[in-house]
Amino acid sequence: MIIVLKKRADDNDLQRVLQKVENHGVQAHVSKGESVTVVGLIGDTTKVDPEMMEVDEAVDKVMKVSEPYKLANRAFHPEDSIIDVAGVKVGGDHMALIAGPCSVESVEQVTEIAKAVKESGANMLRGGAFKPRTSPYSFQGMGTAGLDILVEAKKATGLPIVSESMDAKYIDEFNEKVDLVQIGARNMQNFDLLKEVGKRCTKPILLKRGLCATYEEWIMSAEYIMASGNPNVILCERGIRTFETYTRNTLDLQSIPVLKKMTHLPIVIDPSHAGGKWWLVEPMAKAAVAAGCDGLMIEVHNNPEKALCDGPQSLKPEKYDELLKQLSGIAKIVGKEL
Ligand code: PEP
Ligand code: MN
């Protein structure tokens, strides 16, 4: 249930309404927008009589929220959420331009790529230290040593770090070294991990869409993180499994307008894992910006032929540079800053 306050409602009005809500034993979540204040009710709202709430002179209307997600629901927070990642804003007019290798391989590799993508205009550096690989015989990532390399690259470039966490036991280390904690597609429904990062992670979360997840399942995973105490969630579409085998996955660009309708959370597109081919990255990144995404996560490698993971889908730094130049015109048309 949500209670929309009248435009002229002041702080005293809000406190009075909150008191009434709390008297019913349900939790209230306040969203103060520029034009409207919304009080979202979470918990068992069956005992709350909407008409009794509407009697209050400061209340404009009371509406039932039938969706199972509340905190992530657009109705609870009518304005776009803007998430701050170490000073870089994501959402609203602000775009996250996340670039870097699939995996951290060495300090030289990451630093060289970080300097190049920064020069092109990227505002965050990605790099996997813990890699979720289909085969146990594939490179599994450098682990915590990889995080230290990312910290070095941050020192050299100032770019905030994005890296995937697969296990709650490293949360303290991620809090210390990483600026945006990625939960990968394969862990989107690892509910214990979601609850732990919700409870203990002090950094925003980049939640990738599961390989076969519906929009609602994906948003419910964001709800787990938010309900556990971390409201700063950015969604990332990275392609879903379809019957097509020519491409690695199928990029679902409809997710951008659909998620913007369903939630207030920013949505970033990862065209690299979607297509699995470097030459698909440019057209799909352009389409994603035109469709109104809040950011792009793109794999960039200085030597894709020798990459330990995902070389075929990685752009060389020169290609990334060209791409950002072309994207700035499209971004302007849709009212975004690059
Ligand atoms: C990655 O970003 O390197 C990754 C493993 O992504 P996903 O979870 O989307 O497969
Ligand atoms: Mn990858």
Side-chain angles (χ1 to χ4, degrees), residues 268-286:
V268 164
I269 296 294
D270 169 354
S272 307
H273 291 88
K277 300 179 195 300
W278 68 267
W279 50 271
L280 278 173
V281 170
E282 179 206 305
M284 292 299 97
K286 288 178 176 170

Side-chain angles (χ1 to χ4, degrees), residues 27-262:
Q27 232 181 302
H29 174 270
V30 180
S31 166
K32 269 192 190 174
E34 261 173 35
S35 58
V36 72
T37 298
V38 170
V39 180
L41 277 55
I42 299 159
D44 179 8
T45 56
T46 50
K47 290 179 223 89
V48 185
D49 179 356
E51 281 181 12
M52 288 309 290
M53 286 293 172
E54 255 162 7
V55 168
D56 192 292
E57 58 179 16
V59 172
D60 184 22
K61 56 187 170 195
V62 179
M63 295 183 290
K64 290 253 185 216
V65 174
S66 51
E67 292 87 9
Y69 48 95
K70 310 293 178 191
L71 295 168
N73 202 310
R74 176 68 80 173
F76 266 53
H77 191 290
E79 289 173 12
D80 290 340
S81 271
I82 297 175
I83 312 278
D84 189 299
V85 180
V88 176
K89 291 192 170 57
V90 186
D93 311 336
H94 314 279
M95 292 276 281
L97 294 171
I98 308 168
C102 179
S103 304
V104 174
E105 297 170 16
S106 69
V107 73
E108 295 75 23
Q109 170 237 18
V110 177
T111 317
E112 187 180 322
I113 297 168
K115 285 182 177 160
V117 297
K118 182 179 179 181
E119 189 66 32
S120 301
N123 53 19
M124 289 185 220
L125 173 69
R126 66 150 285 148
F130 296 89
K131 294 306 304 175
R133 304 304 300 274
T134 302
S135 166
Y137 308 116
S138 302
F139 176 58
Q140 302 287 305
M142 293 180 74
T144 51
L147 295 182
D148 292 331
I149 289 178
L150 289 165
V151 171
E152 285 301 309
K154 183 180 174 180
K155 276 188 203 144
T157 59
L159 290 177
I161 301 299
V162 185
S163 200
E164 175 167 356
S165 172
M166 298 201 295
D167 192 325
K169 75 178 177 217
Y170 296 113
I171 286 180
D172 292 339
E173 190 141 2
F174 272 74
N175 280 341
E176 196 187 313
K177 297 173 180 168
V178 170
D179 300 293
L180 177 59
V181 177
Q182 176 173 323
I183 299 295
R186 290 154 192 84
N187 272 316
M188 189 207 82
Q189 285 190 317
N190 182 342
F191 299 115
D192 285 340
L193 179 60
L194 299 178
K195 283 191 266 190
E196 282 301 303
V197 295
K199 220 184 292 170
R200 293 172 39 217
C201 202
T202 55
K203 301 297 174 69
I205 307 297
L206 183 72
L207 178 66
K208 289 195 139 191
R209 183 183 189 176
L211 277 67
C212 299
T214 64
Y215 297 133
E216 189 169 293
E217 286 165 340
W218 186 12
I219 298 171
M220 288 310 287
S221 292
E223 188 82 10
Y224 259 96
I225 298 169
M226 298 170 88
S228 304
N230 189 341
N232 300 314
V233 180
I234 300 171
L235 300 166
C236 178
E237 157 66 28
R238 43 77 74 207
I240 49 173
R241 277 260 162 99
T242 65
F243 51 80
E244 184 53 70
T245 55
Y246 182 79
T247 49
R248 186 174 180 180
N249 293 288
T250 297
L251 182 61
D252 176 14
L253 287 179
Q254 288 177 162
S255 62
I256 301 167
V258 171
L259 284 163
K260 287 198 170 287
K261 192 174 163 67
M262 295 170 86

